Amino acid sequence: MPVAGVARRLIVALDTSAFDEAARLVKLLSPHVGWFKVGSVLFTRHGPAVCRLVKEADAKLFLDLKFHDIPNTVHGAVTSALELQADMLTLHTAGGEAMLKAAVQARRNSKKPDVLMVGVTVLTHLGFDEFHSLFATRRSPHDTVVALTELARRTGLDGVVASAREVEAIKQRTGSDFIVVTPGIRLADATRDDQTRVVTPRDALHNGADYLVVGRPIIAAMDPAGACQKILENMSS
Ligand code: C5P
C-alpha cells in the first residue's frame, strides 16, 4: 500500500551493487517510505530487474542515470526510462537547451505527464579551481547553478537536484512549484560520511526542499527501518 504524509517525500538511495541487498532493503523499507533511488551502479549491473523490484513493492522509482548526450539519444533514453515505469529521472542540464527539450518531448510522446524530470546542475565534487579550469568561465559555481536552473525551468523540466542550502535561492528565482530534490541529509548527531555540507531533514524541509534523498544513514544502519523512522520523525517535527 502506498505510504502517506512526509514518507511520500523521502527517497532512499539504493546505493549498493548487490541485487539481494537491494531486495532486502526494498522489502524492509517499502512499508515506511515512498521512493527508492536506483543509480548507475545498481542499474548498470542489474538493469530493469531492480526497477521491477521497486515497482512490485508499490513504491515510486527515482531512476538517477543523469542522462547527458545528443538530443536524439537522450530522447531515446527517456523513452526507455518511462517504459521501465520510472516516476522521476535525472538529466544533466549542461547538455543544453536542445537536449533538455528532447527529453521533455519524449515524455510528451509517451503520455506520462506526471513523471518528474529533474536536472543536475554543477556536480558538487568539483572544487572552485577545477570548476574554473574545466569550464573556462569567470562565472562562479553558484551563478552557474542559478543559470542552469533557469535553463531547466525554461525548457520544461520540473525541478533540480540541489543542496538544501541552495533551495531558498532557487525557489526565489523559479517559484515554489519548481521542485528541489536534496541529498546531503543527516540527523544532527549522525556521522557525515563524505558529505561536507549536511542539513537535517527538518531544516531541509523548512528551507523548502520537496524531496529528501537519504542513503547511508538508512541503508548502512543496523536497523534500516528504525533509522528510517527517525528520519521521518525529524521531518515531521
Ligand atoms: O549516503 P548519502 O545519504 O550521502 O547518499 C546521498 C545520495 O545522493 C547518493 O546516492 C549520492 O550519489 C546522491 N547525491 C549526492 N550529492 C549530490 C548529488 C547526488 O550525495 N550532489
Side-chain angles (χ1 to χ4, degrees), residues 110-180:
S110 70
K111 300 196 171 52
K112 293 187 176 175
D114 296 338
V115 174
L116 297 172
M117 298 182 32
V118 293
V120 175
T121 57
V122 178
L123 292 173
T124 46
H125 74 287
L126 289 175
F128 197 80
D129 292 343
E130 191 179 5
F131 172 83
H132 282 287
S133 71
L134 250 184
F135 297 107
T137 174
R138 297 169 73 92
R139 201 163 58 181
S140 71
H142 174 79
D143 288 351
T144 306
V145 168
V146 171
L148 291 173
T149 297
E150 284 175 348
L151 174 67
R153 174 86 170 158
R154 211 169 54 239
T155 50
L157 263 56
D158 304 285
V160 287
V161 181
S163 151
R165 295 174 191 224
E166 286 163 352
V167 180
E168 273 179 301
I170 289 171
K171 296 264 179 177
Q172 267 169 17
R173 295 249 173 183
T174 61
S176 59
D177 62 334
F178 192 71
I179 68 170
V180 181

Side-chain angles (χ1 to χ4, degrees), residues 14 26 30 34-38 49-62 87:
L14 293 174
V26 169
S30 54
W35 292 77
F36 292 96
K37 178 167 92 74
V38 172
V50 282
C51 299
R52 284 194 293 275
L53 192 71
V54 172
K55 299 303 295 188
E56 283 165 9
D58 221 359
K60 295 216 178 201
L61 170 65
F62 177 13
D87 299 287

Side-chain angles (χ1 to χ4, degrees), residues 11-15 37 39 64 66 120 122-125 161-163 181-186 192-195 198 213-219:
I11 303 171
V12 172
L14 293 174
D15 288 335
K37 178 167 92 74
D64 183 21
K66 298 187 178 66
V120 175
V122 178
L123 292 173
T124 46
H125 74 287
V161 181
S163 151
V181 179
T182 64
I185 302 294
R186 293 292 182 275
R192 293 173 168 221
D193 303 303
D194 55 357
Q195 298 280 13
V198 299
V213 178
V214 182
R216 286 160 292 181
I218 294 176
I219 67 167

Side-chain angles (χ1 to χ4, degrees), residues 76-91:
V78 169
T79 304
S80 298
L82 297 179
E83 283 167 9
L84 293 173
Q85 310 298 326
D87 299 287
M88 188 188 303
L89 54 90
T90 44
L91 306 128

